[in-house]
Amino acid sequence: MARRGIPNGQRPTVGLVLGAGGIVGQAYQAGVLAALEREAHWDARDADIVVGTSAGSVTGAALRVGVPATDLAASTYGRPTSPKGGALLKRILPDESPLPVPSVMSLLRPWNPPSPALIRRAVRRPLAFRPEVAAMTLLPRGRINISDRARALHELVGHEWPEGLLICTARRTDGARVVFGGDGSPPASLASAVLASCAIPGYFAPITIGGTEYFDGGVHSSTNADVLTAHALDTVVVVSSMSARRGRAIGADGFLRWSVHRRLEREIARLEAHGTSVVRLEPGPEARRAMGVWAMAENRAPQVIEAAYEETRRRILSSPLLAAIGSAAPAAVG
């Protein structure tokens, strides 16, 4: 997807990574991208490749079907938006408002036994075995079914898979990452892939595609930025809702944000080893306070957008490298 009005061969190539984070994560992404559009004059729809995981798959799909970031932000406030922008965000999740908070009792339901696929994967690749991923495959099945949203979502995003969109999911049987839209990936409709990427284990029921169950791509990684190592991009912009800037966060979610930040560090190192510059945008103290600890807190979305926008605006003003993203110049921002 060449940047509008600029031949692709005459500018640096740019990838965009949109991580997991639930409803508040979507709001954070909307605020960050709106600030980049207005303050740095970079339209996220111009990215050559977009990688979306969980909440990021919603944002990524919306961008790829033509919804501007400012439209995504405005929809939260009930301000005028394009029909696709507002409807996409409202139909991707069930109609209950607010969404129920998981209880400890939900974990007392029968857990799944280890699948033969999980056991085989652990035996064949013991050094790559990750207990936290394996545990996600054993959780009780989620009770909230979002598969019935596929038809409505399909009407919004269309019949064609958008060019340059990668949607990250995890296979429920063994937790392996599956990237829909990538070379050699199983065939899937965009609507089904987005819903699968959003299906939080133990909360939402898995989504079946081609006879195989998939759930939230955040099981493998909150960002999955390393899927872009094979694309030889000049610059990658990573919007990581679930981590913390510089990894420092105080509070109940502090360890989670630190661990997500650390994994992102490893993914960025892989990108940089391939010659790609990385712009990293993670929540600072103000955005984290606005987000709270419950990812599906719909009532927090407006304040999250405002905090994310302001934090990003300040970083643009203080960082010539980040400001240069508007001209698609390679930049490295920590």
Side-chain angles (χ1 to χ4, degrees):
M1 181 178 177
R3 188 177 182 183
R4 287 167 290 172
I6 302 176
N8 191 54
Q10 298 180 14
R11 65 173 182 86
T13 51
V14 181
L16 174 63
V17 174
L18 299 164
I23 291 175
V24 297
Q26 289 175 358
Y28 178 78
Q29 293 162 8
V32 168
L33 296 178
L36 290 175
E37 183 177 326
R38 288 180 175 173
E39 309 291 342
H41 311 294
W42 183 68
D43 191 328
R45 293 174 295 173
D46 291 336
D48 293 276
I49 302 176
V50 176
V51 176
T53 299
S54 195
S57 72
V58 181
T59 305
L63 292 171
R64 249 20 193 182
V65 298
V67 180
T70 48
D71 220 20
L72 298 176
S75 67
T76 301
Y77 294 92
R79 294 174 183 170
T81 64
S82 67
K84 283 185 179 179
L88 179 64
L89 293 175
K90 293 184 184 305
R91 295 191 191 182
I92 185 65
L93 294 171
D95 291 333
E96 292 88 353
S97 182
L99 289 167
V101 177
S103 67
V104 175
M105 295 300 295
S106 66
L107 298 178
L108 299 180
R109 293 182 286 118
W111 285 47
N112 301 306
S115 70
L118 177 63
I119 295 171
R120 285 195 300 271
R121 190 160 181 254
V123 171
R124 290 174 182 171
R125 302 183 61 194
L127 296 179
F129 181 75
R130 293 168 57 194
E132 73 278 13
V133 173
M136 292 297 101
T137 71
L138 308 181
L139 284 174
R141 295 179 67 86
R143 290 180 170 176
I144 302 177
N145 189 349
I146 55 175
S147 61
D148 57 354
R149 300 287 156 187
R151 178 175 296 179
L153 183 59
H154 186 71
E155 292 173 357
L156 292 166
V157 298
H159 298 276
E160 300 293 329
W161 188 281
E163 181 183 357
L165 176 65
L166 304 177
I167 299 296
C168 298
T169 68
R171 200 163 48 219
R172 192 199 66 79
T173 52
D174 60 1
R177 179 170 65 190
V178 177
V179 183
F180 288 101
D183 293 338
S185 65
S189 70
L190 177 56
S192 295
V194 168
L195 290 169
S197 189
C198 291
I200 302 170
Y203 186 63
F204 294 129
I207 301 296
T208 301
I209 300 174
T212 301
E213 290 187 331
Y214 299 91
F215 52 33
D216 199 320
V219 166
H220 180 85
S221 164
S222 175
T223 46
N224 290 293
D226 57 327
V227 303
L228 291 179
T229 54
H231 292 270
L233 296 163
D234 295 303
T235 304
V236 169
V237 179
V238 181
V239 184
S240 177
S241 309
M242 290 185 66
S243 58
R245 190 177 179 190
R246 299 192 178 94
R248 304 187 194 118
I250 299 173
D253 60 347
F255 178 77
L256 172 63
R257 289 190 177 278
W258 174 82
S259 62
V260 171
H261 173 87
R262 292 292 294 166
R263 183 162 191 85
L264 176 57
E265 292 261 289
R266 294 192 291 272
E267 294 173 1
I268 288 174
R270 292 177 196 145
L271 287 168
E272 292 176 337
H274 285 75
T276 298
S277 298
V278 179
V279 175
R280 175 191 356 205
L281 293 159
E282 302 169 280
E286 295 160 7
R288 294 197 302 272
R289 281 194 295 270
M291 295 170 83
V293 296
W294 173 225
M296 310 306 286
E298 296 168 283
N299 62 319
R300 288 181 172 268
Q303 64 202 74
V304 172
I305 288 177
E306 293 173 3
Y309 188 101
E310 181 58 23
E311 284 186 350
T312 306
R313 185 190 68 81
R314 289 199 300 265
R315 290 197 63 198
I316 292 168
L317 292 175
S318 64
S319 171
L321 291 174
L322 184 54
I325 192 66
S327 59
V333 178

